[in-house]
Amino acid sequence: MDPQLEAVRVLVVDDEESIREGTDRILSRVGCHVLKACNGAEALAILAEHPVPIVLLDMKMPGLDGLEVLRRIRVLNPETLVIVITGYATLETAVTAMKDGAYDFIPKPFDPDHLLIVVRRATEKLRLVEETRRVNEERRLTLTDLHTEKSRLRTIIESLPNGMAVTNHMGHLVLMNAAFRRLFALDAEKEAGRPIEEYIADEGFCTLVREISEGRHLDAEDIPGYELALGEERYRMAEGRPILGERQDCCGAVISVVDVTSLKLLDRLKSEFVAKVSHELRSPLSTIHEQLAVVLSDIMDVAPESDQQILARAKEKTFGLISLISDLLDLSRIEAGILCRQAQPVQIRDMLNSVTSFLRPRAEAKGQELVLELPSGPALPVVFADPLALESILGNLVTNAITYTPEGGEIRVSADAVGKNLRIRVKDTGLGIEARYLDRIFERFFRVRNDMTRHITGTGLGLPIVKELVGALQGLVEVESTPGQGSTFTVLLPL
Ligand code: ADP
């Protein structure tokens, strides 16, 4: 038995019985399944009933000759391998047969080994054909799967409730879903493929998308969200992430967009409510505070000490409430865009002098030194900003420095121009802030609570006000601090 030839079906077509029987014997011995036909018609009848992959076909037969049988087999089943059996005298016929699609030929008379070599070669060819067919089929199935997967992904993206868009590394929009079109009121006919600016008329948004697409924001956690106001009270919040390739190279960006109109309106209602309540509370509280002060001075020498203490604490708490209310009102005004509206040229030297002079008595009362350092060379550039906003920023930072620095400490306020920015620094030798709180101190109502700050009153709104104001002036505020040694707050404002 030969594993390669075992059970391979072979049809021998020859009018010579000795050839048929001899071939049968040789091939059956190695495991082939041999069928026999003594003329062309019989062979075609067998092949019509069950396909046989290999046919040994004599060329010279009475009735239908070999060539005709070959042509008909090719029509019946082009994949059948026909090996032509020919005498030396009919070599020419063999050549014609090969041209007509015969796979091989074997001259008569042939010995067993020669026959086996030719049939083995044919089975190898059959195996290769089968292998190729299988590989092609597998490829077709994989492609079909890929295609199905692609359409499935497309359907999912298309059905997402959030707006979703993808850009390439040049910031060209390559894909957007239905929600994205709806959120930006884009025409359904508008095809993707053009630069992002051709779809969204918001410079800041387009700049951010372009920067992310070009790989200039690789730390996804650090990418700021972007709010777009589309007019007619419509607000959108967009967030983008870079799409990184296998080698961490940026090949574009994916942008997700949600409608935040209702949140914005709710936020505004809340702010208006807070502003109204604060406003209503401020006058009566101020009156109570003033009256408490009057009563306290009136009873200074006549009332018992304990009563004086109760009234003094009430006065102190009332003052705390008044501070909270003014901070809340300031925040409402900043949110409503009122506080930064009056931009005008400000001489920063005068502004710093006035704020430090105003707060120096407070520092001196704590035995602290409040130093203003200004560059000796050319005058500081003029800043174009709302003076009230600048005053509030500096006032809050210097007040904090005084508040959170123990007696006898030092506070240094300095200003200089760096590049296109004005840099103002407020440095103290105070309590300092632990690294884990450095981001949180800019959150509303956040106060560091420990043994050293417990007795210090405050609202937790000073730094949020500073951050909002600096943001409104397109600047930024940073803090560096070492617990126990002091802090430095730096404000950068564009010139
Ligand atoms: P408040 O001072 O009213 O508590 P802020 O928003 O101004 O609110 O400050 C928030 C917190 O940040 C403070 O409670 C304090 O713990 C910390 N902080 C601010 N400035 C300084 C500073 N110069 N030194 C140390 N801690 C500070």
Side-chain angles (χ1 to χ4, degrees):
M1 289 287 175
D2 181 328
Q4 193 186 339
L5 297 173
E6 200 177 334
V8 174
R9 289 154 65 83
V10 182
L11 170 65
V12 190
V13 191
D14 204 312
D15 55 332
E16 278 181 59
E17 195 187 351
S18 61
I19 296 282
R20 287 201 305 274
E21 294 309 323
T23 309
D24 184 8
R25 249 195 326 276
I26 298 165
L27 293 181
S28 297
R29 213 179 297 139
V30 291
C32 289
H33 180 73
V34 182
L35 301 152
K36 290 169 280 188
C38 58
N39 57 45
E42 200 181 327
L44 290 170
I46 292 173
L47 288 173
E49 222 155 276
H50 10 242
V52 179
I54 300 173
V55 176
L56 286 159
L57 177 64
D58 184 22
M59 283 287 98
K60 262 189 168 286
M61 288 183 296
L64 281 176
D65 79 338
L67 275 178
E68 184 53 31
V69 179
L70 169 66
R71 277 177 208 128
R72 294 200 192 177
I73 291 175
R74 303 279 307 144
V75 175
L76 211 59
N77 186 356
E79 281 172 20
T80 303
L81 297 184
V82 179
I83 299 162
V84 172
I85 306 172
T86 131
Y88 287 109
T90 55
L91 208 55
E92 232 169 82
T93 334
V95 174
T96 317
M98 295 297 279
K99 277 190 194 149
D100 279 1
Y103 167 67
D104 205 348
F105 75 93
I106 180 164
K108 257 198 247 187
F110 47 76
D111 59 35
D113 284 347
H114 194 171
L115 176 67
L116 284 174
I117 286 171
V118 174
V119 174
R120 237 184 235 124
R121 205 156 51 209
T123 53
E124 179 60 15
K125 161 89 177 168
L126 284 174
R127 195 186 63 73
L128 289 176
V129 168
E130 175 58 20
E131 181 74 15
T132 312
R133 200 194 53 73
R134 198 180 54 72
V135 170
N136 281 342
E137 178 63 4
E138 262 175 22
R139 223 184 63 170
R140 193 186 61 77
L141 285 179
T142 315
L143 286 175
T144 313
D145 279 358
L146 269 178
H147 186 258
T148 318
E149 192 60 25
K150 217 168 124 187
S151 9
R152 193 178 303 153
L153 266 178
R154 250 179 196 284
T155 315
I156 292 171
I157 291 173
E158 197 59 23
S159 332
L160 283 175
N162 290 356
M164 178 71 74
V166 178
T167 56
N168 65 12
H169 68 285
M170 295 186 300
H172 288 200
L173 200 78
V174 289
L175 189 142
M176 58 180 152
N177 68 358
F180 188 87
R181 287 177 193 279
R182 196 181 61 245
L183 287 171
F184 288 111
L186 292 174
D187 206 331
E189 255 82 83
K190 191 149 177 101
E191 295 278 340
R194 313 286 312 153
I196 186 75
E197 290 80 3
E198 293 191 20
Y199 302 85
I200 316 290
D202 184 305
E203 205 185 319
F205 172 77
C206 295
T207 307
L208 183 67
V209 171
R210 207 167 259 284
E211 284 179 3
I212 301 174
S213 308
E214 289 168 1
R216 285 194 261 159
H217 290 272
L218 289 182
D219 184 357
E221 297 305 313
D222 240 18
I223 303 178
Y226 187 89
E227 196 180 289
L228 299 95
L230 300 185
E232 294 164 36
E233 297 283 334
R234 289 181 300 134
Y235 298 93
R236 309 286 180 253
M237 179 55 120
E239 285 192 76
R241 293 283 180 271
I243 304 171
L244 299 182
E246 274 175 19
R247 273 175 274 128
Q248 296 300 298
D249 47 334
C250 184
C251 30
V254 53
I255 316 290
S256 125
V257 184
V258 283
D259 185 345
V260 288
T261 307
S262 49
L263 286 176
K264 284 287 286 187
L265 295 182
L266 204 66
D267 201 42
R268 191 187 304 162
L269 277 180
K270 184 210 72 190
S271 299
E272 282 168 8
F273 175 75
V274 171
K276 197 155 182 55
V277 171
S278 308
H279 190 74
E280 294 296 321
L281 285 175
R282 189 155 69 169
S283 321
L285 271 172
S286 302
T287 312
I288 294 171
H289 186 256
E290 278 160 28
Q291 288 172 353
L292 280 172
V294 173
V295 173
L296 256 173
S297 78
D298 284 355
I299 62 164
M300 184 82 95
D301 299 316
V302 283
E305 182 107 345
S306 58
D307 285 0
Q308 288 189 44
Q309 270 177 8
I310 291 172
L311 285 182
R313 209 169 310 135
K315 185 176 153 248
E316 200 182 295
K317 293 281 174 201
T318 320
F319 182 73
L321 278 175
I322 294 170
S323 309
L324 176 66
I325 284 167
S326 350
D327 282 355
L328 284 171
L329 277 173
D330 276 354
L331 271 175
S332 308
R333 285 202 213 103
I334 298 168
E335 278 171 359
I338 298 172
L339 217 64
C340 289
R341 225 179 254 167
Q342 313 292 324
Q344 59 188 70
V346 178
Q347 286 292 349
I348 205 70
R349 179 183 292 266
D350 297 347
M351 167 72 68
L352 286 168
N353 266 320
S354 120
V355 171
T356 46
S357 307
F358 179 72
L359 291 170
R360 189 160 288 112
R362 206 187 280 192
E364 282 168 357
K366 282 184 82 180
Q368 298 165 340
E369 206 181 341
L370 174 55
V371 185
L372 174 60
E373 285 177 337
L374 292 172
S376 51
L380 281 172
V382 171
V383 185
F384 197 70
D386 186 324
L388 281 181
L390 275 177
E391 202 175 73
S392 177
I393 295 169
L394 296 169
N396 267 302
L397 292 180
V398 179
T399 307
N400 274 353
I402 296 171
T403 309
Y404 297 100
T405 298
E407 306 224 334
E410 189 187 72
I411 293 126
R412 287 187 169 271
V413 180
S414 59
D416 54 2
V418 273
K420 290 182 182 164
N421 291 302
L422 171 76
R423 178 172 59 184
I424 302 171
R425 278 195 281 208
V426 179
K427 186 173 190 294
D428 63 51
T429 56
L431 306 178
I433 305 154
E434 285 179 63
R436 61 190 166 132
Y437 296 136
L438 285 180
D439 280 340
R440 301 210 57 201
I441 54 172
F442 292 98
E443 288 172 13
R444 289 180 191 191
F445 299 110
F446 182 83
R447 306 197 67 222
V448 177
R449 290 183 199 277
N450 56 34
D451 286 346
M452 283 170 303
T453 59
R454 183 165 308 141
H455 304 294
I456 302 175
T457 51
T459 60
L461 290 174
L463 290 180
I465 289 178
V466 169
K467 194 173 174 188
E468 291 277 347
L469 286 174
V470 171
L473 298 175
Q474 264 113 51
L476 58 94
V477 53
E478 285 168 352
V479 56
E480 285 168 77
S481 188
T482 312
Q485 291 187 17
S487 318
T488 304
F489 284 80
T490 306
V491 174
L492 289 174
L493 295 173
L495 287 170

